[in-house]
Amino acid sequence: MTVSESTASGAEDINGVGVKATAESAVAVADSPIVPPPPASRRGRVLRELRRNPLGMVGAALLLIVILVGVFAPVLAPYSPAEVHFPTPFQKPGTVGFVLGTDDLGRDVLSRVLYGTRASLEVGALSVLCAVAIGVPMGLLAGYWRWLDAVLARIADAVLAFPFVMLAVGLTAIYGGGLTQAAIALGVAQVPVMMRVVRAEVLRLKETDFVLAARAMHVRSWRILGEHILPNSLAPIIVQATVIMPTAVLGEAILSFLGLGIKPPEPSLGIMLSDAQQYLMRTPWPGIFPGVTLLLICLGFNLFGDALRDALDPKTSR
């Protein structure tokens, strides 16, 4: 056999081995199961949907600024909110030493707005805590046990028969004014709404397969509520909390404006609006700045709440 013939034979052997190996690898790949990529976590999906929502990002930025202002109000405020400068009343914004001007008593408007924002956030947070602490257990009980639903639903209907502001004013008038009293009154006024949201979610989750399987295995009802229903109800609870927060902030401003909320000399955006109303034609800025602050707080919560609702609900996420 010549050298050329042996080379050709070797090449045929090599090619044959290569073709055979390729065919075997193709069959192995075809026979191997297709492993899908791991699903993205719910937290990652929610964050991704929030980043895709420009209005939600605007709301988140507003909330971040407002929260930082409220937390660091003692550091950012140039004066005490109750400090009076009698020689300099009604100073215009931009005056040296008074960035946002002064009110009728010479108090620095910037300092009072910063502390008023902090008070509004405290009232809103306490109101949400009160509404969640009372409304969530009532909603769980009413949704899971129908005989309790008949009682609790009638109580909620009786409370909802009163307008929100009227109910808050009545409770504050009974228990007295102050930050804590106003927050509790506003939170109690929101309990029926929170209860109905949780009740509707429990009624839906009761018919799901995992709850029916747990009941078939004779799992205790309290364990089903705590381990299965409540964790899967957190999304509407969080969204409803973002709705209660701006409502409580506005409610606190209304109560303070009427003299039933936070008492002077403690700063409040509602008190600032009440003090500035008689001077609006002469010097409007003591009333403009707290009003704009209330607008930004409520706008931030509403925009972020809408975006969070869309992100937590896969059916409505865009």
Side-chain angles (χ1 to χ4, degrees), residues 191-203:
V191 166
V193 180
M194 178 63 76
M195 191 205 83
R196 287 195 167 193
V197 170
V198 178
R199 172 183 173 275
E201 193 67 15
V202 173
L203 290 176

PDB file of all heavy atoms in Angstrom, residues 191-203:
ATOM      1  N   VAL A 191     -60.493  51.225  59.093  1.00  0.00           N
ATOM      2  CA  VAL A 191     -60.566  49.791  59.385  1.00  0.00           C
ATOM      3  C   VAL A 191     -61.575  49.069  58.497  1.00  0.00           C
ATOM      4  O   VAL A 191     -61.279  47.983  57.968  1.00  0.00           O
ATOM      5  CB  VAL A 191     -60.870  49.574  60.885  1.00  0.00           C
ATOM      6  CG1 VAL A 191     -61.300  48.134  61.149  1.00  0.00           C
ATOM      7  CG2 VAL A 191     -59.642  49.890  61.718  1.00  0.00           C
ATOM      8  N   PRO A 192     -62.800  49.579  58.297  1.00  0.00           N
ATOM      9  CA  PRO A 192     -63.745  48.834  57.449  1.00  0.00           C
ATOM     10  C   PRO A 192     -63.254  48.620  56.027  1.00  0.00           C
ATOM     11  O   PRO A 192     -63.511  47.556  55.433  1.00  0.00           O
ATOM     12  CB  PRO A 192     -65.004  49.721  57.476  1.00  0.00           C
ATOM     13  CG  PRO A 192     -64.883  50.526  58.717  1.00  0.00           C
ATOM     14  CD  PRO A 192     -63.426  50.770  58.892  1.00  0.00           C
ATOM     15  N   VAL A 193     -62.557  49.601  55.463  1.00  0.00           N
ATOM     16  CA  VAL A 193     -62.050  49.441  54.104  1.00  0.00           C
ATOM     17  C   VAL A 193     -60.995  48.343  54.056  1.00  0.00           C
ATOM     18  O   VAL A 193     -61.013  47.470  53.168  1.00  0.00           O
ATOM     19  CB  VAL A 193     -61.479  50.773  53.593  1.00  0.00           C
ATOM     20  CG1 VAL A 193     -60.957  50.615  52.181  1.00  0.00           C
ATOM     21  CG2 VAL A 193     -62.535  51.866  53.649  1.00  0.00           C
ATOM     22  N   MET A 194     -60.061  48.364  55.013  1.00  0.00           N
ATOM     23  CA  MET A 194     -59.048  47.313  55.069  1.00  0.00           C
ATOM     24  C   MET A 194     -59.678  45.954  55.309  1.00  0.00           C
ATOM     25  O   MET A 194     -59.274  44.946  54.702  1.00  0.00           O
ATOM     26  CB  MET A 194     -58.037  47.637  56.171  1.00  0.00           C
ATOM     27  CG  MET A 194     -56.949  46.589  56.362  1.00  0.00           C
ATOM     28  SD  MET A 194     -55.877  46.384  54.917  1.00  0.00           S
ATOM     29  CE  MET A 194     -54.869  47.868  55.075  1.00  0.00           C
ATOM     30  N   MET A 195     -60.688  45.889  56.161  1.00  0.00           N
ATOM     31  CA  MET A 195     -61.345  44.617  56.439  1.00  0.00           C
ATOM     32  C   MET A 195     -61.996  44.045  55.183  1.00  0.00           C
ATOM     33  O   MET A 195     -61.903  42.846  54.909  1.00  0.00           O
ATOM     34  CB  MET A 195     -62.396  44.822  57.527  1.00  0.00           C
ATOM     35  CG  MET A 195     -62.961  43.522  58.076  1.00  0.00           C
ATOM     36  SD  MET A 195     -64.602  43.680  58.788  1.00  0.00           S
ATOM     37  CE  MET A 195     -65.615  43.556  57.317  1.00  0.00           C
ATOM     38  N   ARG A 196     -62.631  44.888  54.401  1.00  0.00           N
ATOM     39  CA  ARG A 196     -63.286  44.409  53.189  1.00  0.00           C
ATOM     40  C   ARG A 196     -62.286  43.922  52.150  1.00  0.00           C
ATOM     41  O   ARG A 196     -62.541  42.944  51.437  1.00  0.00           O
ATOM     42  CB  ARG A 196     -64.152  45.519  52.604  1.00  0.00           C
ATOM     43  CG  ARG A 196     -65.418  45.783  53.394  1.00  0.00           C
ATOM     44  CD  ARG A 196     -66.400  46.614  52.619  1.00  0.00           C
ATOM     45  NE  ARG A 196     -67.710  46.610  53.229  1.00  0.00           N
ATOM     46  CZ  ARG A 196     -68.815  47.059  52.628  1.00  0.00           C
ATOM     47  NH1 ARG A 196     -68.737  47.532  51.399  1.00  0.00           N
ATOM     48  NH2 ARG A 196     -69.979  47.021  53.249  1.00  0.00           N
ATOM     49  N   VAL A 197     -61.155  44.594  52.048  1.00  0.00           N
ATOM     50  CA  VAL A 197     -60.125  44.154  51.100  1.00  0.00           C
ATOM     51  C   VAL A 197     -59.607  42.772  51.482  1.00  0.00           C
ATOM     52  O   VAL A 197     -59.494  41.864  50.634  1.00  0.00           O
ATOM     53  CB  VAL A 197     -58.980  45.183  51.050  1.00  0.00           C
ATOM     54  CG1 VAL A 197     -57.793  44.634  50.262  1.00  0.00           C
ATOM     55  CG2 VAL A 197     -59.457  46.490  50.429  1.00  0.00           C
ATOM     56  N   VAL A 198     -59.299  42.575  52.764  1.00  0.00           N
ATOM     57  CA  VAL A 198     -58.777  41.280  53.215  1.00  0.00           C
ATOM     58  C   VAL A 198     -59.858  40.210  53.111  1.00  0.00           C
ATOM     59  O   VAL A 198     -59.579  39.059  52.723  1.00  0.00           O
ATOM     60  CB  VAL A 198     -58.252  41.406  54.658  1.00  0.00           C
ATOM     61  CG1 VAL A 198     -57.757  40.058  55.167  1.00  0.00           C
ATOM     62  CG2 VAL A 198     -57.134  42.431  54.723  1.00  0.00           C
ATOM     63  N   ARG A 199     -61.074  40.543  53.442  1.00  0.00           N
ATOM     64  CA  ARG A 199     -62.176  39.569  53.362  1.00  0.00           C
ATOM     65  C   ARG A 199     -62.355  39.067  51.934  1.00  0.00           C
ATOM     66  O   ARG A 199     -62.525  37.857  51.710  1.00  0.00           O
ATOM     67  CB  ARG A 199     -63.465  40.219  53.853  1.00  0.00           C
ATOM     68  CG  ARG A 199     -64.721  39.389  53.638  1.00  0.00           C
ATOM     69  CD  ARG A 199     -65.943  40.149  54.088  1.00  0.00           C
ATOM     70  NE  ARG A 199     -67.173  39.441  53.746  1.00  0.00           N
ATOM     71  CZ  ARG A 199     -67.795  39.520  52.577  1.00  0.00           C
ATOM     72  NH1 ARG A 199     -67.297  40.309  51.621  1.00  0.00           N
ATOM     73  NH2 ARG A 199     -68.911  38.842  52.366  1.00  0.00           N
ATOM     74  N   ALA A 200     -62.331  39.974  50.965  1.00  0.00           N
ATOM     75  CA  ALA A 200     -62.474  39.552  49.574  1.00  0.00           C
ATOM     76  C   ALA A 200     -61.339  38.637  49.146  1.00  0.00           C
ATOM     77  O   ALA A 200     -61.548  37.651  48.419  1.00  0.00           O
ATOM     78  CB  ALA A 200     -62.541  40.786  48.669  1.00  0.00           C
ATOM     79  N   GLU A 201     -60.132  38.922  49.600  1.00  0.00           N
ATOM     80  CA  GLU A 201     -58.993  38.073  49.245  1.00  0.00           C
ATOM     81  C   GLU A 201     -59.093  36.705  49.900  1.00  0.00           C
ATOM     82  O   GLU A 201     -58.754  35.680  49.293  1.00  0.00           O
ATOM     83  CB  GLU A 201     -57.693  38.767  49.659  1.00  0.00           C
ATOM     84  CG  GLU A 201     -56.425  38.158  49.088  1.00  0.00           C
ATOM     85  CD  GLU A 201     -56.317  38.314  47.592  1.00  0.00           C
ATOM     86  OE1 GLU A 201     -57.069  39.132  47.015  1.00  0.00           O
ATOM     87  OE2 GLU A 201     -55.484  37.610  46.984  1.00  0.00           O
ATOM     88  N   VAL A 202     -59.578  36.638  51.130  1.00  0.00           N
ATOM     89  CA  VAL A 202     -59.738  35.352  51.816  1.00  0.00           C
ATOM     90  C   VAL A 202     -60.805  34.512  51.114  1.00  0.00           C
ATOM     91  O   VAL A 202     -60.635  33.297  50.939  1.00  0.00           O
ATOM     92  CB  VAL A 202     -60.095  35.588  53.296  1.00  0.00           C
ATOM     93  CG1 VAL A 202     -60.432  34.260  53.973  1.00  0.00           C
ATOM     94  CG2 VAL A 202     -58.935  36.252  54.028  1.00  0.00           C
ATOM     95  N   LEU A 203     -61.908  35.138  50.718  1.00  0.00           N
ATOM     96  CA  LEU A 203     -62.949  34.400  50.002  1.00  0.00           C
ATOM     97  C   LEU A 203     -62.414  33.809  48.700  1.00  0.00           C
ATOM     98  O   LEU A 203     -62.820  32.704  48.294  1.00  0.00           O
ATOM     99  CB  LEU A 203     -64.133  35.326  49.713  1.00  0.00           C
ATOM    100  CG  LEU A 203     -64.965  35.760  50.927  1.00  0.00           C
ATOM    101  CD1 LEU A 203     -66.035  36.752  50.507  1.00  0.00           C
ATOM    102  CD2 LEU A 203     -65.602  34.555  51.611  1.00  0.00           C
TER     103      LEU A 203
END
